[in-house]
Amino acid sequence: MTGTKNSGKDSQRYFANLQGEIDGAALYKTLADIESDPRIATVYRRLAAVEESHAEFWRKKLRAVGARLPRASPGFRTRALGWLARRFGPGFVLPVINTLEHVDSGSYDRQPDAVAGGLPAAERSHARVLDALAAPAPGKRGGVPGSVLASLEGRHRAGGGNALRAAVLGANDGLVSNLSLVMGVAGAAVPDKTILITGLAGLLAGACSMALGEWLSVNSSRELYQKQIATEKEELELVPDEEKEELILIYQSKGLSEKEARALAERLFADKTKVLDTLVREELGIDPEELGGSAWTAAASSFCLFTAGAIFPVAPYFVFGGETAVAASLAASAVALVLIGAGTAVFTGRSLGFSALRQLAVGFAAAAITFGLGRIIGVSIGG
């Protein structure tokens, strides 16, 4: 009996591992197909090949326990990330992939059969493959940018902020805040026109606040980057030898020998027009051509994302009134909350159902609290 239970648990684990490898291979193939830089596309294909070999490993394990093999079909998260990558480019989803891989990176270390098959070591070797790819021309302007390689190598490290997460959370801010505002005013039993005006005012105020905050944030970052670049330029003029030694150490940390690193640094310092650009990219991790992007684009995006979420609770009041409007507002908001929950599932690694229900529960809890407080305040003021 115990052996049957263990076999069943093993089968479930094998299925889960196989699905993860199928998802990984499919996603890396998609990234390779749409990547414009052939060198980075090669990296993606090599990563996909490793994932496929791991998938075959788990298929053999399933056959060994007599389990029926499932269809090799990518899951919802993989399909969603693939669609986003095709629509907005690989860079849009790469930080999400990095974060998800970081979450899963240690799972094989706790599985003896995976360790025996060498899977943990193979997973970790991906970063070394990237190092080898970068080594031939780590400082050339036409080569693979250090920031891109850092993102790719982040496959086994936690990822930072990213556009997808910002988009989902920006819409969530607008939805939850305006739903709470509309329900709070509705709880006070004020006229429908007042609720509509309040909801629209909340939408505009919140969207403008988010846009202004984002504009200031991006501009501040640009000013900081410009200051750092100016400092680097001054140091390059005053102490070029020290800057050269720093660049040599950076290249050595990427896997080059001291001789190779020194030869490359010498070539770069022979061309004064390129050396500052290289130092800024390699030492500071800044792309001097972007400097954090456009402040106006960031502001417009924040405004639109907040508005996209905030419109759901207030839109029904254009058509309905009374309790019907309250019910319609809650229904529209529920749909939006579920969609946002699905969006968070893409970059958190949690299941779609769990993320959607959690988002719905949090949004409705906030709405219930403000509705109750609005009712108390309305009764108190109204006498």
Side-chain angles (χ1 to χ4, degrees):
M1 188 71 174
T2 302
T4 303
K5 288 183 178 179
N6 288 339
S7 178
K9 289 181 179 179
D10 284 341
S11 296
Q12 292 177 0
R13 179 166 57 85
Y14 296 160
F15 277 126
N17 290 339
L18 175 59
Q19 185 62 53
E21 300 297 351
I22 289 171
D23 287 338
L27 189 53
Y28 284 127
K29 284 180 180 177
T30 298
L31 295 178
D33 290 341
I34 62 178
E35 176 56 55
S36 59
D37 190 318
R39 287 161 292 185
I40 301 178
T42 298
V43 171
Y44 288 135
R45 292 190 183 94
R46 293 174 71 175
L47 294 176
V50 174
E51 302 288 357
E52 287 178 332
S53 68
H54 290 178
E56 185 57 33
F57 177 89
W58 295 117
R59 288 191 184 97
K60 290 179 180 178
K61 288 290 183 181
L62 286 167
R63 293 190 192 101
V65 298
R68 188 172 67 176
L69 294 179
R71 268 182 54 191
S73 176
F76 159 78
R77 183 180 298 109
T78 300
R79 293 195 300 271
L81 288 171
W83 182 88
L84 289 168
R86 291 187 184 94
R87 178 68 179 81
F88 301 106
F92 187 79
V93 300
L94 194 57
V96 176
I97 299 171
N98 294 340
T99 301
L100 295 176
E101 289 283 7
H102 174 70
V103 171
D104 295 335
S105 63
S107 62
Y108 283 160
D109 292 333
R110 300 185 293 272
Q111 302 183 42
D113 40 13
V115 174
L119 268 65
E123 289 285 334
R124 293 190 179 93
S125 72
H126 290 171
R128 292 196 292 273
V129 170
L130 297 172
D131 282 339
L133 180 63
K140 292 183 179 179
R141 186 179 179 84
V144 182
S147 59
V148 173
L149 286 169
S151 297
L152 287 167
E153 290 171 347
R155 165 178 162 75
H156 295 293
R157 297 199 300 266
N162 58 81
L164 176 57
R165 181 183 288 109
V168 172
L169 297 183
N172 181 65
D173 285 344
L175 173 58
V176 175
S177 63
N178 219 33
L179 174 61
S180 300
L181 176 62
V182 168
M183 288 299 110
V185 179
V190 299
D192 294 332
K193 184 178 290 187
T194 302
I195 299 175
L196 176 60
I197 293 173
T198 302
L200 290 174
L203 182 154
L204 291 172
C208 289
S209 175
M210 292 289 289
L212 179 59
E214 193 67 21
W215 186 87
L216 289 172
S217 175
V218 174
N219 262 324
S220 297
S221 296
R222 290 179 65 87
E223 291 167 359
L224 174 61
Y225 293 153
Q226 289 168 347
K227 174 63 176 177
Q228 290 177 311
I229 292 172
T231 300
E232 191 69 27
K233 182 179 181 180
E234 183 179 357
E235 290 176 352
L236 181 61
E237 294 172 352
L238 295 176
V239 285
D241 290 340
E242 291 184 13
E243 291 299 305
K244 184 186 296 183
E245 290 301 318
E246 287 182 13
L247 192 58
I248 291 170
L249 290 175
I250 290 172
Y251 288 154
Q252 284 184 264
S253 70
K254 290 189 174 187
L256 294 180
S257 68
E258 182 179 358
K259 182 179 179 181
E260 292 171 328
R262 189 170 295 279
L264 179 56
E266 292 287 352
R267 288 199 301 272
L268 288 170
F269 268 75
D271 187 345
K272 298 300 182 181
T273 61
K274 290 184 179 180
V275 67
L276 178 61
D277 182 271
T278 301
L279 283 169
V280 168
R281 293 173 187 271
E282 299 288 0
E283 186 177 339
L284 303 179
I286 298 173
D287 184 346
E289 295 179 358
E290 294 184 3
L291 296 180
S294 167
W296 289 107
T297 300
S301 298
S302 293
F303 184 95
C304 292
L305 289 169
F306 189 95
T307 300
I311 194 63
F312 282 89
V314 72
Y317 280 90
F318 284 104
V319 181
F320 305 108
E323 294 181 356
T324 302
V326 174
S329 177
L330 289 171
S333 299
V335 172
L337 286 166
V338 168
L339 292 175
I340 288 174
T344 61
V346 170
F347 63 75
T348 62
R350 301 303 295 264
S351 70
L352 175 62
F354 173 84
S355 298
L357 289 175
R358 180 177 62 180
Q359 195 70 32
L360 186 63
V362 170
F364 271 30
I369 291 171
T370 54
F371 184 89
L373 292 174
R375 178 59 55 88
I376 293 171
I377 294 171
V379 171
S380 300
I381 295 176

